[in-house]
Amino acid sequence: MNCIFCKIAAGTTPTDFLAYDDNVFVIHDVNPQAPVHLLVIPFQHIQSMDEVAPHDAELLGRMALLAKSAATAAGIGDQGYRLVINCGEDGGQTVGHLHMHVLGGRQLLGLG
Ligand code: AMP
Ligand code: ZN
């Protein structure tokens, strides 16, 4: 298993889970791009958004809901935040395991 997020999911690379449910967990990004930078990650290995299938619709919904509650728990629910899923090379994806970024705690500008 060569996937860092699968290793974190399996507990072989110990990392604090800020929240989790049966399908999805939340961790701090190791290289934060904002005062709050969380990652919402499915336990199941899915390479990217491009690999998502119709039967993953509920999983994506759970990711969005856990992102929302993690943002609220981090204290940025009211001031706002950004949810991002990078996909593939042009999308800037660097870890090949589906994940959603939760970014906030400062004014975020363009999508650059
Ligand atoms: P992306 O560029 O959308 O694929 O995002 C991958 C993110 O994972 C980057 O923001 C990295 O900083 C983050 N990252 C990589 N390895 C780890 C790790 N071991 N723990 C937490 N975050 C990580
Ligand atoms: Zn994986």
XYZ file of all heavy atoms in Angstrom:
857
model
N 0.862 -1.192 0.000
C 0.000 0.000 0.000
C 0.898 1.243 0.000
O 1.617 1.486 0.957
C -0.895 -0.023 1.234
C -1.873 1.120 1.318
S -3.073 0.892 2.636
C -2.014 0.775 4.067
N 0.829 1.988 -1.057
C 1.748 3.101 -1.197
C 1.063 4.459 -1.093
O 1.659 5.471 -1.428
C 2.473 3.001 -2.539
C 3.909 3.461 -2.414
O 4.359 3.770 -1.314
N 4.605 3.534 -3.528
N -0.150 4.450 -0.615
C -0.938 5.687 -0.589
C -0.925 6.256 0.837
O -1.336 5.591 1.784
C -2.369 5.384 -1.033
S -3.501 6.753 -0.771
N -0.455 7.498 0.976
C -0.319 8.092 2.306
C -1.671 8.195 3.014
O -1.770 7.967 4.228
C 0.395 9.467 2.247
C 0.574 10.050 3.641
C -0.305 10.435 1.332
C 1.407 9.242 4.590
N -2.735 8.513 2.270
C -4.030 8.655 2.945
C -4.597 7.281 3.329
O -5.302 7.176 4.339
C -5.014 9.459 2.089
C -4.662 10.929 1.979
C -5.332 11.758 1.088
C -3.673 11.502 2.780
C -5.014 13.109 0.980
C -3.347 12.851 2.682
C -4.022 13.666 1.771
N -4.286 6.237 2.559
C -4.681 4.884 2.988
C -3.911 4.498 4.254
O -4.484 3.855 5.151
C -4.414 3.867 1.880
S -5.696 3.828 0.606
N -2.647 4.895 4.340
C -1.862 4.586 5.549
C -2.435 5.309 6.763
O -2.510 4.751 7.860
C -0.398 4.969 5.347
C 0.325 4.041 4.379
C 1.749 4.511 4.152
C 2.446 3.596 3.160
N 3.672 4.175 2.610
N -2.824 6.558 6.573
C -3.450 7.307 7.677
C -4.796 6.666 8.029
O -5.109 6.477 9.208
C -3.599 8.797 7.290
C -2.200 9.447 7.191
C -4.480 9.531 8.291
C -2.198 10.847 6.606
N -5.561 6.298 7.005
C -6.880 5.665 7.242
C -6.722 4.374 8.025
O -7.537 4.063 8.909
C -7.576 5.396 5.906
N -5.668 3.612 7.728
C -5.453 2.315 8.376
C -4.775 2.458 9.734
O -4.649 1.466 10.468
C -4.607 1.432 7.468
N -4.303 3.665 10.066
C -3.657 3.879 11.351
C -2.177 3.534 11.344
O -1.523 3.585 12.389
N -1.616 3.191 10.177
C -0.192 2.837 10.128
C 0.700 4.071 10.082
O 1.888 3.979 10.369
C 0.116 1.927 8.921
O -0.334 2.558 7.734
C -0.570 0.584 9.057
N 0.131 5.219 9.699
C 0.824 6.505 9.845
C -0.009 7.325 10.823
O -0.994 7.956 10.429
C 0.941 7.230 8.491
O 1.703 6.425 7.602
C 1.626 8.580 8.640
N 0.352 7.267 12.112
C -0.517 7.892 13.125
C -0.726 9.381 12.883
O 0.238 10.136 12.730
C 0.234 7.643 14.435
C 1.125 6.480 14.162
C 1.517 6.609 12.709
N -1.958 9.776 12.825
C -2.355 11.155 12.563
C -3.646 11.401 13.338
O -4.527 10.550 13.343
C -2.615 11.358 11.048
O -1.436 10.999 10.325
C -2.969 12.792 10.723
N -3.736 12.547 13.989
C -4.956 12.851 14.753
C -6.152 13.011 13.833
O -6.091 13.779 12.861
C -4.767 14.159 15.539
C -3.891 13.951 16.765
O -3.727 12.785 17.185
O -3.382 14.957 17.283
N -7.222 12.310 14.137
C -8.497 12.511 13.441
C -9.281 13.573 14.209
O -9.546 13.415 15.399
C -9.318 11.222 13.413
C -8.820 10.159 12.466
C -7.621 10.276 11.797
C -9.583 9.025 12.236
C -7.167 9.290 10.923
C -9.151 8.031 11.362
C -7.941 8.160 10.707
N -9.639 14.664 13.550
C -10.440 15.711 14.194
C -11.895 15.274 14.288
O -12.620 15.695 15.197
C -10.352 17.016 13.403
C -8.943 17.547 13.154
C -8.991 18.867 12.432
C -8.176 17.687 14.459
N -12.314 14.461 13.332
C -13.682 13.933 13.309
C -13.681 12.761 12.342
O -12.786 12.638 11.500
C -14.663 15.001 12.829
N -14.677 11.918 12.479
C -14.817 10.832 11.512
C -16.214 10.246 11.635
O -16.894 10.418 12.656
C -13.768 9.733 11.734
C -13.814 9.058 13.080
C -14.565 7.901 13.263
C -13.135 9.595 14.165
C -14.623 7.283 14.520
C -13.183 8.989 15.409
C -13.932 7.830 15.577
O -13.996 7.242 16.811
N -16.636 9.583 10.571
C -17.834 8.757 10.654
C -17.476 7.406 10.039
O -16.287 7.074 9.932
C -19.052 9.456 10.007
C -18.909 9.692 8.521
O -18.048 9.037 7.883
O -19.672 10.506 7.975
N -18.454 6.635 9.647
C -18.154 5.289 9.147
C -17.339 5.317 7.857
O -16.626 4.364 7.545
C -19.458 4.515 8.872
C -20.134 4.115 10.164
O -19.502 4.214 11.231
O -21.312 3.709 10.094
N -17.457 6.400 7.108
C -16.903 6.434 5.758
C -15.794 7.452 5.537
O -15.013 7.323 4.592
C -18.019 6.732 4.743
C -19.156 5.746 4.832
O -20.199 6.040 5.414
N -18.940 4.551 4.308
N -15.733 8.467 6.383
C -14.926 9.654 6.100
C -14.238 10.130 7.384
O -14.817 10.026 8.463
C -15.830 10.800 5.570
C -15.008 12.004 5.153
C -16.689 10.334 4.405
N -13.007 10.649 7.244
C -12.340 11.239 8.413
C -11.746 12.590 8.048
O -11.588 12.923 6.867
C -11.268 10.293 8.974
C -10.140 9.955 8.030
C -8.935 10.648 8.080
C -10.279 8.946 7.085
C -7.886 10.336 7.218
C -9.236 8.616 6.212
C -8.047 9.317 6.286
N -11.399 13.372 9.088
C -10.888 14.738 8.916
C -9.559 14.869 9.641
O -9.447 14.465 10.807
C -11.872 15.782 9.494
C -11.366 17.200 9.225
C -13.273 15.603 8.929
N -8.559 15.420 8.941
C -7.254 15.673 9.560
C -6.800 17.103 9.227
O -7.349 17.747 8.334
C -6.169 14.673 9.069
C -5.943 14.803 7.559
C -6.539 13.245 9.453
C -4.761 13.972 7.040
N -5.782 17.571 9.940
C -5.120 18.822 9.571
C -4.223 18.581 8.366
O -3.493 17.579 8.321
C -4.242 19.322 10.728
C -5.001 19.919 11.865
N -5.657 21.127 11.772
C -5.205 19.476 13.129
C -6.225 21.405 12.929
N -5.982 20.420 13.772
N -4.237 19.509 7.408
C -3.265 19.440 6.321
C -1.875 19.714 6.894
O -1.683 20.620 7.699
C -3.598 20.464 5.226
C -2.846 20.186 3.938
O -1.585 20.336 3.933
O -3.481 19.814 2.940
N -0.896 18.899 6.479
C 0.455 19.005 7.017
C 1.156 20.286 6.544
O 2.116 20.739 7.172
C 1.270 17.741 6.642
C 1.706 17.764 5.184
C 2.451 17.542 7.561
N 0.665 20.882 5.471
C 1.284 22.082 4.890
C 0.192 23.136 4.673
O -0.199 23.409 3.534
C 1.971 21.708 3.570
C 2.682 22.872 2.932
O 3.046 23.849 3.595
N 2.868 22.803 1.619
N -0.301 23.720 5.774
C -1.510 24.547 5.673
C -1.326 25.789 4.807
O -0.323 26.484 4.901
C -1.799 24.918 7.135
C -0.536 24.687 7.875
C 0.203 23.607 7.151
N -2.342 26.051 3.987
C -2.350 27.219 3.103
C -3.222 28.343 3.656
O -3.397 29.377 3.004
C -2.863 26.816 1.713
C -2.066 25.693 1.063
C -0.598 26.058 0.873
O -0.291 27.099 0.297
N 0.291 25.230 1.385
N -3.764 28.134 4.831
C -4.632 29.129 5.484
C -4.624 28.794 6.975
O -4.226 27.686 7.359
C -6.047 29.045 4.907
N -5.063 29.744 7.826
C -5.073 29.465 9.274
C -5.845 28.197 9.621
O -5.473 27.494 10.565
C -5.737 30.722 9.859
C -5.386 31.805 8.889
C -5.428 31.155 7.529
N -6.920 27.928 8.901
C -7.615 26.636 9.020
C -7.463 25.927 7.682
O -7.852 26.464 6.630
C -9.109 26.817 9.365
C -9.814 25.454 9.373
C -9.269 27.519 10.709
N -6.864 24.760 7.709
C -6.727 23.961 6.484
C -6.869 22.489 6.872
O -5.949 21.881 7.423
C -5.377 24.228 5.802
C -5.271 23.582 4.443
N -4.216 23.824 3.594
C -6.083 22.708 3.776
C -4.383 23.133 2.475
N -5.504 22.435 2.564
N -8.054 21.966 6.606
C -8.388 20.595 6.956
C -8.561 19.777 5.685
O -8.827 20.328 4.601
C -9.691 20.560 7.765
C -9.775 21.543 8.949
C -11.153 21.448 9.594
C -8.677 21.272 9.957
N -8.435 18.473 5.819
C -8.681 17.556 4.707
C -9.765 16.571 5.128
O -9.685 15.994 6.221
C -7.403 16.788 4.352
C -6.215 17.626 3.890
C -4.980 16.735 3.731
C -6.521 18.355 2.593
N -10.736 16.398 4.276
C -11.828 15.448 4.496
C -11.608 14.294 3.519
O -11.599 14.503 2.293
C -13.185 16.124 4.265
C -14.318 15.139 4.502
C -13.326 17.353 5.148
N -11.412 13.102 4.071
C -10.866 11.990 3.285
C -11.726 10.739 3.485
O -11.993 10.355 4.634
C -9.414 11.692 3.746
C -8.555 12.950 3.679
C -8.813 10.559 2.924
C -7.159 12.792 4.299
N -12.137 10.082 2.417
C -12.834 8.807 2.598
C -11.863 7.707 3.018
O -10.710 7.688 2.562
C -13.431 8.509 1.217
C -12.742 9.393 0.257
C -12.041 10.490 1.014
N -12.305 6.797 3.878
C -11.462 5.645 4.226
C -11.160 4.802 2.990
O -10.069 4.251 2.859
C -12.174 4.777 5.279
C -12.157 5.349 6.669
C -13.244 6.049 7.173
C -11.032 5.203 7.485
C -13.224 6.585 8.453
C -11.001 5.730 8.771
C -12.105 6.418 9.253
N -12.130 4.720 2.112
C -12.000 3.920 0.888
C -11.070 4.625 -0.096
O -11.146 5.844 -0.264
C -13.403 3.779 0.290
C -13.493 3.037 -1.013
C -14.858 3.243 -1.671
O -15.780 3.792 -1.064
N -14.979 2.819 -2.909
N -10.196 3.859 -0.755
C -9.314 4.467 -1.750
C -10.054 4.681 -3.060
O -10.417 3.728 -3.746
C -8.075 3.598 -2.003
C -7.121 4.240 -2.975
N -6.110 5.090 -2.581
C -7.069 4.197 -4.324
C -5.466 5.524 -3.645
N -6.021 4.991 -4.728
N -10.263 5.942 -3.389
C -10.759 6.343 -4.715
C -9.714 7.316 -5.231
O -9.331 8.258 -4.529
C -12.136 7.041 -4.621
C -13.181 6.089 -4.024
C -12.576 7.557 -5.988
C -14.520 6.749 -3.710
N -9.219 7.079 -6.428
C -8.073 7.837 -6.940
C -8.340 9.343 -7.011
O -7.509 10.145 -6.582
C -7.703 7.294 -8.326
C -6.493 7.934 -8.980
C -5.177 7.389 -8.430
O -5.152 6.351 -7.764
N -4.103 8.099 -8.703
N -9.489 9.702 -7.551
C -9.769 11.128 -7.767
C -11.243 11.309 -8.090
O -11.987 10.324 -8.244
C -8.933 11.670 -8.939
O -9.462 11.205 -10.169
N -11.664 12.568 -8.243
C -13.047 12.841 -8.681
C -13.348 12.142 -9.989
O -14.489 11.735 -10.243
C -13.262 14.352 -8.860
C -13.824 15.102 -7.695
S -15.288 14.390 -6.928
C -16.526 14.650 -8.172
N -12.327 11.982 -10.830
C -12.544 11.365 -12.144
C -12.925 9.898 -12.027
O -13.461 9.316 -12.973
C -11.279 11.528 -12.993
C -11.567 11.403 -14.474
O -12.535 12.058 -14.937
O -10.863 10.646 -15.154
N -12.652 9.290 -10.875
C -12.970 7.870 -10.659
C -14.303 7.695 -9.920
O -14.729 6.567 -9.691
C -11.864 7.205 -9.820
C -10.491 7.269 -10.448
C -10.386 6.365 -11.673
O -10.882 5.238 -11.610
O -9.840 6.830 -12.686
N -14.893 8.807 -9.511
C -16.133 8.721 -8.735
C -17.271 8.199 -9.613
O -17.406 8.583 -10.767
C -16.467 10.119 -8.150
C -17.907 10.213 -7.720
C -15.534 10.438 -6.983
N -18.065 7.288 -9.049
C -19.171 6.666 -9.776
C -20.500 7.072 -9.138
O -20.517 7.595 -8.015
C -19.007 5.149 -9.722
N -21.604 6.834 -9.836
C -22.914 7.211 -9.255
C -23.134 6.638 -7.862
O -23.722 7.313 -7.002
C -23.910 6.647 -10.274
C -23.181 6.722 -11.573
C -21.742 6.386 -11.245
N -22.622 5.434 -7.591
C -22.856 4.862 -6.253
C -22.022 5.567 -5.169
O -22.168 5.255 -3.988
C -22.606 3.347 -6.241
C -21.200 2.939 -6.529
N -20.809 2.364 -7.720
C -20.072 3.045 -5.792
C -19.505 2.132 -7.684
N -19.038 2.541 -6.530
N -21.156 6.496 -5.561
C -20.395 7.291 -4.582
C -21.107 8.593 -4.211
O -20.554 9.393 -3.448
C -19.003 7.625 -5.130
C -18.162 6.387 -5.372
O -18.157 5.499 -4.487
O -17.517 6.294 -6.437
N -22.304 8.783 -4.737
C -23.008 10.059 -4.486
C -23.201 10.292 -2.986
O -22.988 11.414 -2.491
C -24.352 10.076 -5.208
N -23.578 9.261 -2.248
C -23.789 9.449 -0.812
C -22.469 9.762 -0.103
O -22.416 10.596 0.806
C -24.444 8.206 -0.199
C -24.786 8.436 1.264
C -25.512 7.265 1.909
O -26.078 6.431 1.171
O -25.489 7.196 3.154
N -21.408 9.111 -0.536
C -20.091 9.377 0.054
C -19.703 10.849 -0.128
O -19.214 11.499 0.805
C -19.037 8.465 -0.589
C -17.608 8.680 -0.095
C -17.463 8.245 1.358
C -16.617 7.928 -0.976
N -19.934 11.372 -1.333
C -19.603 12.778 -1.581
C -20.441 13.698 -0.701
O -19.944 14.716 -0.201
C -19.816 13.116 -3.059
C -18.768 12.526 -3.994
C -19.186 12.728 -5.443
C -17.403 13.167 -3.762
N -21.690 13.338 -0.508
C -22.544 14.122 0.377
C -22.043 14.086 1.810
O -22.025 15.107 2.503
N -21.608 12.914 2.243
C -21.060 12.787 3.602
C -19.785 13.615 3.747
O -19.536 14.222 4.803
C -20.787 11.326 3.935
C -22.033 10.527 4.170
C -21.707 9.082 4.517
N -22.919 8.318 4.689
C -23.633 8.277 5.811
N -23.224 8.958 6.866
N -24.731 7.575 5.879
N -18.955 13.616 2.708
C -17.743 14.448 2.749
C -18.116 15.918 2.931
O -17.519 16.626 3.753
C -16.918 14.258 1.467
C -16.222 12.909 1.375
S -15.427 12.637 -0.239
C -14.102 13.856 -0.181
N -19.082 16.378 2.173
C -19.487 17.790 2.263
C -20.058 18.101 3.650
O -19.759 19.152 4.239
C -20.495 18.115 1.167
N -20.856 17.188 4.192
C -21.449 17.429 5.512
C -20.398 17.409 6.608
O -20.436 18.226 7.543
C -22.534 16.384 5.797
C -23.823 16.574 5.005
C -24.735 15.365 5.156
C -24.547 17.840 5.443
N -19.418 16.496 6.500
C -18.365 16.460 7.513
C -17.460 17.689 7.380
O -16.976 18.223 8.385
C -17.557 15.164 7.410
C -16.868 14.711 8.696
C -17.838 14.533 9.847
C -16.083 13.420 8.488
N -17.261 18.160 6.146
C -16.506 19.404 5.933
C -17.206 20.564 6.632
O -16.574 21.380 7.310
C -16.362 19.678 4.439
N -18.507 20.634 6.470
C -19.274 21.710 7.114
C -19.146 21.631 8.624
O -18.872 22.637 9.290
C -20.741 21.611 6.707
C -21.636 22.585 7.430
C -23.077 22.177 7.365
C -23.832 22.884 8.485
N -25.277 22.645 8.419
N -19.321 20.458 9.191
C -19.271 20.376 10.663
C -17.852 20.606 11.162
O -17.653 21.182 12.239
C -19.857 19.067 11.175
O -19.168 17.970 10.673
N -16.844 20.198 10.387
C -15.453 20.449 10.792
C -15.150 21.946 10.742
O -14.435 22.468 11.605
C -14.492 19.671 9.892
N -15.686 22.633 9.739
C -15.494 24.091 9.661
C -16.151 24.770 10.862
O -15.564 25.662 11.482
C -16.072 24.627 8.357
N -17.341 24.331 11.203
C -18.032 24.902 12.366
C -17.224 24.636 13.637
O -17.014 25.540 14.453
C -19.444 24.294 12.494
O -20.160 24.586 11.292
C -20.185 24.863 13.689
N -16.732 23.401 13.780
C -15.949 23.043 14.972
C -14.652 23.842 15.037
O -14.156 24.135 16.131
C -15.649 21.545 14.972
N -14.106 24.209 13.876
C -12.870 25.002 13.836
C -13.145 26.487 14.054
O -12.210 27.293 14.088
C -12.153 24.783 12.497
N -14.419 26.858 14.158
C -14.780 28.235 14.492
C -14.906 29.166 13.306
O -14.935 30.387 13.472
N -14.988 28.612 12.088
C -15.055 29.477 10.899
C -16.390 29.341 10.167
O -16.530 29.800 9.023
C -13.885 29.208 9.925
C -13.853 27.726 9.497
C -12.559 29.618 10.561
C -12.897 27.474 8.329
N -17.354 28.706 10.815
C -18.645 28.522 10.160
C -19.293 29.833 9.755
O -19.808 29.965 8.639
N -19.241 30.829 10.632
C -19.920 32.095 10.361
C -19.153 32.955 9.368
O -19.741 33.556 8.478
C -20.093 32.897 11.662
C -21.163 32.284 12.550
O -21.974 31.497 12.010
O -21.160 32.569 13.761
N -17.843 33.023 9.520
C -17.074 33.944 8.671
C -16.885 33.393 7.265
O -16.611 34.142 6.329
C -15.731 34.290 9.323
C -14.738 33.147 9.425
C -13.681 33.392 10.505
O -13.916 33.184 11.687
N -12.508 33.829 10.095
N -17.015 32.094 7.099
C -16.970 31.505 5.763
C -15.696 30.736 5.501
O -14.694 30.866 6.213
N -15.752 29.933 4.466
C -14.629 29.043 4.144
C -14.789 28.552 2.721
O -15.796 28.847 2.056
C -14.577 27.860 5.134
C -15.886 27.133 5.289
C -16.221 26.058 4.473
C -16.809 27.547 6.264
C -17.427 25.402 4.614
C -18.015 26.885 6.405
C -18.316 25.814 5.580
O -19.508 25.169 5.719
N -13.811 27.826 2.262
C -13.834 27.310 0.891
C -13.618 25.808 0.931
O -12.733 25.319 1.644
C -12.725 27.984 0.073
C -12.676 27.558 -1.382
C -11.613 28.351 -2.141
N -11.982 29.764 -2.269
C -11.172 30.718 -2.725
N -9.927 30.409 -3.081
N -11.583 31.961 -2.828
N -14.420 25.099 0.153
C -14.246 23.660 -0.033
C -13.699 23.432 -1.435
O -14.233 23.969 -2.404
C -15.574 22.926 0.127
C -16.327 23.171 1.435
C -17.598 22.327 1.467
C -15.445 22.862 2.638
N -12.628 22.629 -1.514
C -11.939 22.421 -2.798
C -11.645 20.939 -2.974
O -11.165 20.283 -2.038
C -10.593 23.194 -2.833
C -9.820 22.884 -4.106
C -10.823 24.686 -2.694
N -11.912 20.435 -4.170
C -11.433 19.105 -4.555
C -10.595 19.289 -5.815
O -11.125 19.674 -6.866
C -12.596 18.128 -4.828
C -13.441 17.912 -3.571
C -12.044 16.799 -5.348
C -14.658 17.007 -3.780
N -9.303 19.058 -5.701
C -8.429 19.099 -6.870
C -8.493 17.749 -7.570
O -8.525 16.702 -6.916
C -6.988 19.404 -6.453
C -6.847 20.780 -5.825
O -7.499 21.725 -6.248
N -6.013 20.891 -4.802
N -8.480 17.768 -8.893
C -8.580 16.523 -9.658
C -7.519 16.499 -10.750
O -7.507 17.366 -11.628
C -9.969 16.388 -10.263
S -10.146 14.905 -11.286
N -6.634 15.514 -10.657
C -5.667 15.274 -11.727
C -4.585 16.344 -11.813
O -4.506 17.262 -10.987
N -3.769 16.192 -12.816
C -2.581 17.035 -12.937
C -2.936 18.511 -13.099
O -2.445 19.359 -12.355
C -1.765 16.545 -14.141
C -0.309 16.912 -14.051
C 0.496 16.307 -15.193
O 0.120 15.220 -15.677
O 1.476 16.954 -15.589
N -3.796 18.822 -14.053
C -4.143 20.231 -14.265
C -4.913 20.801 -13.081
O -4.872 22.012 -12.841
C -4.965 20.402 -15.544
C -4.100 20.438 -16.800
O -2.864 20.248 -16.676
O -4.649 20.638 -17.907
N -5.601 19.947 -12.355
C -6.340 20.411 -11.172
C -5.458 20.604 -9.964
O -5.927 21.062 -8.919
N -4.184 20.233 -10.075
C -3.252 20.437 -8.965
C -3.292 19.347 -7.911
O -2.797 19.542 -6.797
N -3.842 18.188 -8.263
C -3.906 17.090 -7.280
C -2.522 16.467 -7.115
O -1.876 16.091 -8.097
C -4.909 16.026 -7.744
C -5.107 14.921 -6.722
C -6.185 13.910 -7.150
O -6.740 14.001 -8.248
N -6.460 12.965 -6.279
N -2.074 16.378 -5.878
C -0.743 15.803 -5.608
C -0.819 14.486 -4.851
O 0.159 13.734 -4.843
C 0.126 16.788 -4.791
O -0.528 17.078 -3.550
C 0.363 18.079 -5.560
N -1.928 14.205 -4.193
C -2.122 12.916 -3.521
C -3.271 12.193 -4.224
O -4.394 12.718 -4.285
C -2.437 13.100 -2.014
C -2.750 11.751 -1.373
C -1.275 13.770 -1.291
N -2.975 11.017 -4.760
C -3.945 10.281 -5.566
C -4.926 9.469 -4.759
O -5.052 8.246 -4.947
N -5.588 10.128 -3.854
C -6.658 9.534 -3.026
C -7.633 10.681 -2.787
O -7.239 11.703 -2.199
C -6.051 8.973 -1.729
C -7.019 8.359 -0.768
N -6.799 7.121 -0.177
C -8.188 8.824 -0.247
C -7.810 6.839 0.643
N -8.656 7.862 0.625
N -8.841 10.510 -3.253
C -9.851 11.577 -3.180
C -9.865 12.275 -1.817
O -9.827 11.603 -0.781
C -11.237 10.961 -3.445
C -12.427 11.918 -3.424
C -12.355 12.897 -4.588
C -13.738 11.125 -3.467
N -9.917 13.587 -1.831
C -10.020 14.359 -0.589
C -10.571 15.732 -0.891
O -10.440 16.237 -2.012
C -8.648 14.481 0.099
C -7.582 15.040 -0.781
N -6.924 14.284 -1.717
C -7.070 16.289 -0.886
C -6.046 15.041 -2.354
N -6.123 16.262 -1.877
N -11.160 16.328 0.135
C -11.722 17.676 0.039
C -10.978 18.579 1.013
O -10.806 18.228 2.184
C -13.212 17.626 0.400
C -13.940 18.946 0.323
S -15.688 18.750 0.841
C -16.371 17.934 -0.597
N -10.512 19.722 0.523
C -9.865 20.706 1.394
C -10.929 21.605 2.015
O -11.880 22.007 1.346
C -8.929 21.611 0.579
C -7.787 20.910 -0.077
N -6.503 20.931 0.420
C -7.718 20.161 -1.202
C -5.694 20.245 -0.372
N -6.413 19.763 -1.374
N -10.730 21.955 3.285
C -11.518 22.988 3.969
C -10.539 24.099 4.315
O -9.613 23.878 5.106
C -12.166 22.456 5.260
C -13.003 23.546 5.933
C -13.002 21.206 4.993
N -10.730 25.253 3.698
C -9.789 26.369 3.867
C -10.518 27.575 4.440
O -11.602 27.935 3.954
C -9.194 26.757 2.516
C -8.278 25.719 1.865
C -8.340 25.810 0.362
C -6.852 25.889 2.371
N -9.923 28.209 5.429
C -10.541 29.404 5.974
C -9.688 30.041 7.048
O -8.533 29.679 7.245
N -10.288 31.033 7.714
C -9.570 31.762 8.755
C -8.877 32.999 8.223
O -8.234 33.726 8.973
N -8.986 33.219 6.924
C -8.518 34.474 6.303
C -9.342 34.684 5.036
O -10.015 33.758 4.567
C -7.025 34.432 5.954
C -6.645 33.456 4.845
C -5.194 33.661 4.413
N -4.686 32.591 3.567
C -4.844 32.512 2.258
N -5.572 33.425 1.617
N -4.331 31.506 1.569
N -9.267 35.913 4.506
C -9.970 36.195 3.259
C -9.281 35.460 2.116
O -8.092 35.651 1.865
C -9.961 37.706 2.977
C -10.581 38.093 1.662
C -12.092 37.915 1.649
O -12.816 38.583 2.373
N -12.575 37.000 0.822
N -10.004 34.599 1.433
C -9.451 33.858 0.306
C -9.804 34.603 -0.977
O -10.958 34.981 -1.180
C -10.006 32.443 0.283
C -9.668 31.608 1.530
C -10.535 30.352 1.584
C -8.199 31.231 1.536
N -8.819 34.789 -1.824
C -9.044 35.572 -3.056
C -9.264 34.639 -4.237
O -9.934 33.637 -4.134
C -7.899 36.566 -3.222
C -7.791 37.534 -2.021
C -6.556 38.411 -2.120
C -9.056 38.367 -1.876
N -8.662 34.950 -5.362
C -8.958 34.226 -6.600
C -8.699 32.736 -6.507
O -8.138 32.225 -5.541
N -9.100 32.029 -7.543
C -8.954 30.583 -7.559
C -7.617 30.161 -8.144
O -7.312 28.970 -8.150
C -10.097 29.951 -8.357
C -11.449 29.987 -7.657
C -12.538 29.524 -8.599
C -11.412 29.112 -6.414
N -6.844 31.137 -8.679
C -5.503 30.950 -9.212
C -5.182 29.540 -9.554
O -4.118 29.110 -9.841
P -3.891 17.959 -3.301
O -2.753 18.813 -3.792
O -5.253 18.504 -3.565
O -3.717 16.520 -3.765
O -3.768 17.970 -1.730
C -2.945 17.105 -1.016
C -2.746 17.737 0.320
O -2.326 16.725 1.212
C -1.667 18.818 0.344
O -2.260 20.034 0.780
C -0.633 18.290 1.328
O -0.095 19.294 2.137
C -1.447 17.297 2.135
N -0.712 16.203 2.722
C 0.200 15.388 2.129
N 0.637 14.457 2.988
C -0.008 14.672 4.163
C 0.001 14.047 5.435
N 0.789 13.002 5.695
N -0.809 14.536 6.400
C -1.598 15.603 6.168
N -1.666 16.234 4.987
C -0.888 15.782 3.990
Zn -5.455 5.666 -0.768
